[in-house]
């Protein structure tokens, strides 16, 4: 008798325990959901950048999955002053930070091609090209006329556009056009002139970059030379110069290509 009545009272308690368990479970799910939303709203800037890293990984894995992200070389987005300098996806933007105290000084434009030395790079605007004697994968172009045409964007000074990573992964082959051998100074080029091809040379043979062009808009020094573009404070955000706009996914695209 005792055993029987005990088992009945246990059976009576079980539904209440089940309900409590479900309530607890629901509360945990709700907490996680609220936490996730709060994280999304208040997440620090580095994690916005890491969202860009995920997109970039997707693009490098298979660019054809993201046909809306690419911009064609030579395109003038909207009424932008400069031509888009190569074909690809703006995977790393101006100001992005991947290590404390360092902000990216321009755009990294990643080719969908998958292979080096086939995606052309062109001058974004008329100007005078320099390739220093020890520059393997880089050219820079001074744009004196830009200052007259677009005084507000140039803020009254002479600007330069900078193009790099035009070299093979192992550092043995430069992809800069033969028209511009190392030691070229102030050679006039029109907007659209072929400068070279995208490569993966990073400056160190052991750490190739993804296949891309690093493009930046560089300020002048007091004596009229180009400033150190590795410090982003010596550069401008290329957004207004290239006329790109952010789409609903947060990707910078050419608005006229939508
Ligand atoms: Zn870069």
């Amino acid at each position: 008798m005792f055993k029987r009545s005990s088992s009945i009272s246990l059976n009576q308690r079980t539904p209440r325990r089940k309900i409590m368990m479900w309530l607890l479970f629901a509360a945990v799910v709700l907490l996680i959901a609220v936490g996730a939303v709060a994280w999304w709203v208040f997440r620090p800037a580095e994690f916005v950048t890491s969202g860009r890293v995920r997109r970039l990984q997707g693009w490098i894995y298979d660019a054809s999955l993201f046909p809306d992200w690419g911009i064609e070389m030579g395109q003038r987005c909207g009424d932008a002053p400069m031509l888009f300098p190569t074909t690809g996806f703006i995977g790393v933007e101006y100001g992005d930070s991947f290590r404390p105290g360092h902000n990216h000084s321009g755009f990294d434009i990643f080719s969908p091609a998958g292979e080096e030395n086939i995606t052309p790079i062109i001058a974004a605007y008329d100007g005078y090209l320099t390739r220093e004697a020890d520059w393997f994968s880089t050219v820079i172009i001074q744009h004196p006329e830009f200052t007259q045409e677009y005084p507000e964007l140039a803020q009254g000074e002479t600007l330069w556009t900078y193009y790099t990573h035009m070299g093979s992964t192992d550092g043995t082959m430069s992809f800069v056009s033969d028209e511009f051998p190392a030691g070229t100074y102030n050679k006039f080029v029109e907007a659209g002139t072929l400068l070279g091809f995208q490569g993966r040379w990073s400056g160190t043979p052991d750490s190739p970059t993804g296949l891309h062009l690093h493009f930046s808009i560089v300020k002048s020094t007091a004596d009229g030379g180009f400033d150190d573009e590795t410090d982003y404070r010596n550069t401008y955000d290329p957004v207004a110069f290239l006329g790109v706009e952010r789409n609903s996914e947060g990707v910078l695209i050419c608005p006229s290509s939508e």
Side-chain angles (χ1 to χ4, degrees):
M1 278 302 282
F2 176 76
K3 269 185 181 170
R4 199 168 157 249
S5 77
S6 142
S7 95
I8 285 169
S9 72
L10 197 70
N11 283 344
Q12 282 170 337
R13 274 207 302 272
T14 305
R16 193 178 298 166
R17 194 174 283 180
K18 262 189 180 166
I19 289 167
M20 289 301 288
M21 290 297 285
W22 276 110
L23 279 176
L24 192 68
F25 178 70
V28 169
V29 168
L30 189 70
L31 259 175
I32 290 171
V34 169
V37 170
W39 162 254
W40 184 252
V41 172
F42 298 111
R43 71 200 191 283
E46 302 89 272
F47 288 89
V48 179
T49 305
S50 85
R52 274 212 252 301
V53 171
R54 276 197 301 279
R55 273 201 287 267
L56 185 53
Q57 285 166 340
W59 174 265
I60 289 169
Y61 172 70
D62 186 354
S64 69
L65 298 173
F66 311 100
D68 300 339
W69 294 0
I71 302 177
E72 292 292 319
M73 178 191 78
Q75 215 169 332
R76 190 183 298 281
C77 299
D79 54 1
M82 292 188 178
L83 303 179
F84 202 73
T86 190
T87 294
F89 155 58
I90 303 171
V92 181
E93 297 181 13
Y94 182 78
D96 278 355
S97 182
F98 297 99
R99 62 175 195 269
H102 183 267
N103 295 86
H104 192 238
S105 59
F107 282 172
D108 284 349
I109 304 164
F110 290 79
S111 169
E115 278 180 58
E116 300 185 323
N117 204 15
I118 54 176
T119 308
I121 294 163
I122 57 167
Y125 198 85
D126 294 356
Y128 298 87
L129 182 145
T130 286
R131 180 182 174 194
E132 298 276 3
D134 59 348
W135 282 7
F136 171 68
S137 70
T138 306
V139 299
I140 195 165
I141 304 175
Q142 189 184 35
H143 302 291
E145 282 172 27
F146 187 92
T147 314
Q148 276 83 60
E149 294 288 324
Y150 301 93
E152 283 171 31
L153 268 181
Q155 299 190 24
E157 66 168 325
T158 302
L159 299 182
W160 308 69
T161 51
Y162 178 90
Y163 313 74
T164 194
H165 300 306
M166 293 182 278
S168 62
T169 302
D170 57 8
T172 58
M173 198 177 155
S174 173
F175 303 146
V176 177
S177 164
D178 293 341
E179 298 290 312
F180 313 112
T184 297
Y185 292 94
N186 303 315
K187 182 170 180 176
F188 180 75
V189 290
E190 285 184 357
T193 301
L194 176 70
L195 305 178
F197 297 87
Q198 288 193 29
R200 294 194 179 89
W201 174 245
S202 67
T204 317
D206 301 329
S207 60
T209 69
L211 181 66
H212 75 278
L213 165 70
H214 170 95
F215 173 82
S216 57
I217 313 257
V218 185
K219 300 177 185 179
S220 291
T221 54
D223 64 1
F226 51 85
D227 218 330
D228 172 14
E229 79 87 44
T230 60
D231 185 335
Y232 92 120
R233 289 168 296 190
N234 299 329
T235 60
Y236 288 111
D237 188 341
V239 160
F241 295 83
L242 295 176
V244 290
E245 287 179 11
R246 204 173 295 286
N247 74 0
S248 55
E249 288 176 285
V251 177
L252 288 175
I253 55 148
C254 197
S256 56
S257 66
E258 263 193 316

